[in-house]
Amino acid sequence: MSRRHVMQWLMLAAMLGLFYGLPWLRWHDTAVLLFDIQARHIHFFGLDLRTDAILPLLWLALAALGALCLVTSLYGRLWCAYACPQTVLTRLHRALRRITTLNGLAGERIEPVLRHALWAATALWTGITFVGYFSPVRGLVAALPAFALDGWETFWIAFYALATWANVLFLHEQVCTYLCPYSRVQPWLTDAFTPSVHYDARRGEPRGARTAGGSSVLQRARGLLDPVTARDYVFRAAHPASAGPPPTFSDAHLGDCTDCGACVRACPVGLDIRNGHTDACIGCNACTDACDDTMVRNGFPTGLILRTSPARIEQRPPVAFRVRPLLFGALTLLFLALAIAGLVAAN
């Protein structure tokens, strides 16, 4: 298991533990975080805030948003790849699917039922946990066996459980592509020095199948292409209707991309990263892992698809100051200071 996979699973465990565990934590006989709508109070780590005095929490939320923008500007879409609830729940569902996969005829009949039962139970517990942020979760769980929940609690548990079940089961990464606004604001958050997933066209082009036993362009006299020629090959491959059929190349002139299509099949969004980076890419690096496996099978160095910045691809020198990270960092500190000052005043 690669370091990236370990980080993904650690983040999955941390996010699930935080979401499912926070309603159960108590601070001086009071829930650590509880939005008590009936009493119009918010319990926040020992503080008792009235709902008409929640400005500090608003500043804290804006500070968290500023921190997300800062991390995105510096490191790319780490939120999407590791911590987004949609990503975490989708990864959890696929893990359950792998766990419940059984062999044999009996397994073929049992496996779908078991998988759906486990996911339905997970979705139900997610709904209970969500409502547990607004009504004490211990009381909710105690009332479940006797069906003693009130109408609104029952409605929201069922609604959120059904939404979780259907969202991951049928939509999964389509939410990232069509519903989530985060990808649409990427151009405002990032610059040329922000890392993202890219295909090394100078090394990979022209792509094509070849006989086994060859060597990488890094080991041949051909070497890397110049950027203009590499972009031309990418354009031809991405637009066959306008560019016409690709020319035939000998193995000695082919790049390292074997055109196996593993990167496209691995992409949960269905992108072909070889045709250029797009804002629809969630940065999960599934294409990187698939391509690295192909490179290893062919005896080529890994890293044909890699996480880097456009500036580094263009071999631009680093800059001393970047406007976006400085701006988002300043806003984060400002909102955090306002939140701390408000919480101190409220206490």
Side-chain angles (χ1 to χ4, degrees), residues 302-333:
T302 58
L304 181 59
I305 298 177
L306 71 166
R307 193 169 182 272
T308 187
S309 66
R312 190 167 184 178
I313 293 176
E314 298 169 3
Q315 299 180 334
R316 291 165 55 178
V319 295
F321 299 100
R322 294 167 56 189
V323 174
R324 287 179 175 85
L326 290 174
L327 175 61
F328 295 138
L331 289 175
T332 301
L333 292 177

Side-chain angles (χ1 to χ4, degrees), residues 55-56 58-67 327-342:
L55 188 59
L58 175 61
W59 292 127
L60 192 61
L62 289 175
L65 180 60
L327 175 61
F328 295 138
L331 289 175
T332 301
L333 292 177
L334 173 62
F335 292 140
L336 186 59
L338 291 172
I340 294 175

Side-chain angles (χ1 to χ4, degrees), residues 17-283:
L18 183 65
F19 174 74
Y20 291 120
L22 196 57
W24 293 90
L25 299 180
R26 301 184 69 80
W27 186 294
H28 300 301
D29 296 327
T30 305
V32 167
L33 180 60
L34 178 66
F35 299 89
D36 192 340
I37 298 178
Q38 291 184 348
R40 297 185 179 181
H41 277 252
I42 297 175
H43 302 284
F44 181 74
F45 288 88
L47 299 177
D48 190 3
L49 304 175
R50 299 189 310 274
T51 54
D52 57 352
I54 61 171
L55 188 59
L57 294 185
L58 175 61
W59 292 127
L60 192 61
L62 289 175
L65 180 60
L68 175 62
C69 295
L70 174 62
V71 171
T72 303
S73 180
L74 289 174
Y75 304 109
R77 297 181 67 169
L78 295 183
W79 170 259
C80 295
Y82 293 94
C84 172
Q86 182 72 19
T87 299
V88 168
L89 289 174
T90 300
R91 190 167 289 140
L92 175 63
H93 174 261
R94 287 170 179 163
L96 291 176
R97 183 172 59 186
R98 288 192 295 269
I99 292 172
T100 56
T101 299
L102 304 175
N103 296 321
L105 184 61
E108 292 179 1
R109 294 195 297 265
I110 295 173
E111 184 267 332
V113 176
L114 180 60
R115 183 177 72 246
H116 283 288
L118 285 175
W119 185 242
T122 302
L124 177 61
W125 189 249
T126 302
I128 294 171
T129 302
F130 174 77
V131 177
Y133 283 94
F134 300 90
S135 181
V137 70
R138 298 171 190 269
L140 290 176
V141 174
L144 280 175
F147 299 98
L149 298 175
D150 66 34
W152 281 112
E153 290 172 342
T154 303
F155 170 80
W156 284 112
I157 289 176
F159 176 84
Y160 203 79
L162 180 62
T164 302
W165 177 80
N167 182 35
V168 174
L169 200 62
F170 298 108
L171 297 180
H172 37 86
E173 285 86 4
Q174 301 306 313
V175 172
C176 311
T177 305
Y178 299 108
L179 300 179
C180 181
Y182 185 50
S183 63
R184 292 171 173 78
V185 300
Q186 293 300 303
W188 301 342
L189 305 180
T190 60
D191 56 23
F193 294 90
T194 303
S196 54
V197 179
H198 291 274
Y199 163 66
D200 189 354
R202 298 181 64 192
R203 175 186 160 192
E205 296 298 326
R207 66 191 77 164
R210 77 286 313 279
T211 57
S215 57
S216 166
V217 297
L218 302 177
Q219 302 160 335
R220 286 187 262 139
R222 199 214 80 167
L224 300 177
L225 297 175
D226 64 273
V228 175
T229 303
R231 284 195 296 268
D232 178 67
Y233 283 135
V234 168
F235 178 84
R236 289 174 177 271
H239 305 86
S242 57
T248 302
F249 296 93
S250 65
D251 288 1
H253 291 89
L254 284 174
D256 282 358
C257 177
T258 62
D259 203 18
C260 64
C263 57
V264 181
R265 292 192 298 271
C267 179
V269 187
L271 300 176
D272 189 343
I273 196 65
R274 298 173 300 173
N275 295 338
H277 180 80
T278 69
D279 292 335
C281 174
I282 62 176

